DNA sequence: GAGATCCGTCAACGGTGTTGACACAGCCGC
DNA sequence: GCGGCTGTGTCAACACCGTTGACGGATCTC
């Protein structure tokens, strides 16, 4: 499924591209990456991205089909948790929370905000669901014991998203003022129980 | 703090109102309630609300100051969980999840979507935080034992919001296809553990 | 009756994402 | 070499958004 999918101005085939086109495409993508990260999906306008790239706004749409498609092609829906999941299963809950609460990761925070805003659009939402299934559920569910492993991973992701929501979107003063280590321990353990519930039948 | 807080067209004092003004105000509020609930915050336009009320769009802003203020004055930030919290503390987790997963409550679903969209605006966000503190934290925290009761309630609310997010905004296919009773039990218990952790020192 | 205040209308502003009409440049087959 | 196709770019415009300013009347108070 190529870029535009539009009827009006059929975007050129990805293979047949001339140097000029490739250059401006790259410029637009760079500008989009920067502005989406800086200002979020809603805050970054197509006109702003075009200006940043030194290009006509119409050209952005022509090349990528829509703002939504440009976002999908530009912004990494992953939040970089791949390595976090690799470690031991017993402490993955706390590690996940600690990863996102690390103040040394402001980029993650902004990317989450941008993703949350863009998730209102269908294609982005679908991509995020696909990404959740691929990045979280697929590798984690087989490692779980007990019933409904896929569902439990999905619920754990929802729980994690709830915290990110509270921290980065809602900016709740209670949690903002709390000791990060307490949040990591408390909430991390709560996520952990969803993944590895203490089974009385198990040793 | 009255309606507009604006400089340009100081909204009339709430007390000094004439019948005509009151009537159109009510018409606008009704239309706003309807359209915000039907289409969400972003989907309902000021012009659409004005048309529904049979009124000039400018009049909406003049009377309420801004779309955001109209939303705050119109939509109930509560989701009707007051009665859910009143019951026994031991099962509040499952009751909360069951409340929102009840298919007989589509209104709640739409209201949550509208609230989530409007939460991008500062005043709505502040109101939601205030509402959380007042409706959830204040009545629930004193009933908890253990450390950091306020924080734990706030985190439980975040966890609940995570599920609503997954169900109503993200519309994750895994959870959508799952047995509601399993979700209620699994996720409800996870919330429950945040509120009433099984303390080994307690009987 | 005079003046302030409320009520309503209209046109417009600056912003958004997107589209259509057009001109130019480079590659293709003849 | 040359005509046509196609990629590339420009410009103005569309339809929508939230909001504002200027201006009539209507209504109330003094």
């Amino acid at each position: 499924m190529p870029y535009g999918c539009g009827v009006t101005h059929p975007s050129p085939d990805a293979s047949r591209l001339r140097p000029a086109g490739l250059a401006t495409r790259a410029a637009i993508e760079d500008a989009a990456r920067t502005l989406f990260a800086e200002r979020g999906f809603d805050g970054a306008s197509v006109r702003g991205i075009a200006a940043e790239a030194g290009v006509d706004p119409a050209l952005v749409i022509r090349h990528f089909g829509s703002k939504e498609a440009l976002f999908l092609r530009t912004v990494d829906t992953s939040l970089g948790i791949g390595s976090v999941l690799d470690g031991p299963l017993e402490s993955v809950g706390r590690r996940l929370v600690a990863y996102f609460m690390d103040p040394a990761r402001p980029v993650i925070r902004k990317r989450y905000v941008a993703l949350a805003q863009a998730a209102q659009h269908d294609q982005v939402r679908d991509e995020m669901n696909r990404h959740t299934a691929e990045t979280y559920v697929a590798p984690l569910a087989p490692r779980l014991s007990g019933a409904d492993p896929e569902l439990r991973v999905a619920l754990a992701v929802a729980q994690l998203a709830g915290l990110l929501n509270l921290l980065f979107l809602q900016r709740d003063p209670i949690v903002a003022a709390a000791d990060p280590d307490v949040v990591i321990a408390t909430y991390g353990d709560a996520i952990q129980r969803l993944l590895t519930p203490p089974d009385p039948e198990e040793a």
Side-chain angles (χ1 to χ4, degrees), chain A residues 2-12 24-25 27-29 32 36 41 44-51 53 55-74 121 123:
Chain A
Y3 313 97
C5 311
V7 194
T8 59
H9 272 296
S11 300
T24 60
R25 275 183 100 92
I28 294 173
E29 287 179 350
F36 279 143
F41 183 82
S45 70
V46 171
R47 284 174 163 85
I49 292 171
V55 144
D56 191 274
L59 213 58
V60 175
I61 301 297
R62 181 187 288 298
H63 271 295
F64 294 92
S66 69
K67 182 185 181 181
E68 186 185 359
L70 173 62
F71 182 84
L72 271 177
R73 188 158 288 269
T74 287
H121 299 76
Q123 294 176 37

Side-chain angles (χ1 to χ4, degrees), chain A residues 93-94 97-98 101 159 163 167 174-191:
Chain A
R94 288 195 182 199
V97 177
M101 293 204 67
Q159 182 170 352
L163 179 65
L167 282 173
I174 297 177
V175 182
D179 180 358
D181 289 334
V182 174
V183 176
I184 292 172
T186 309
Y187 208 74
D189 287 352
I191 294 180

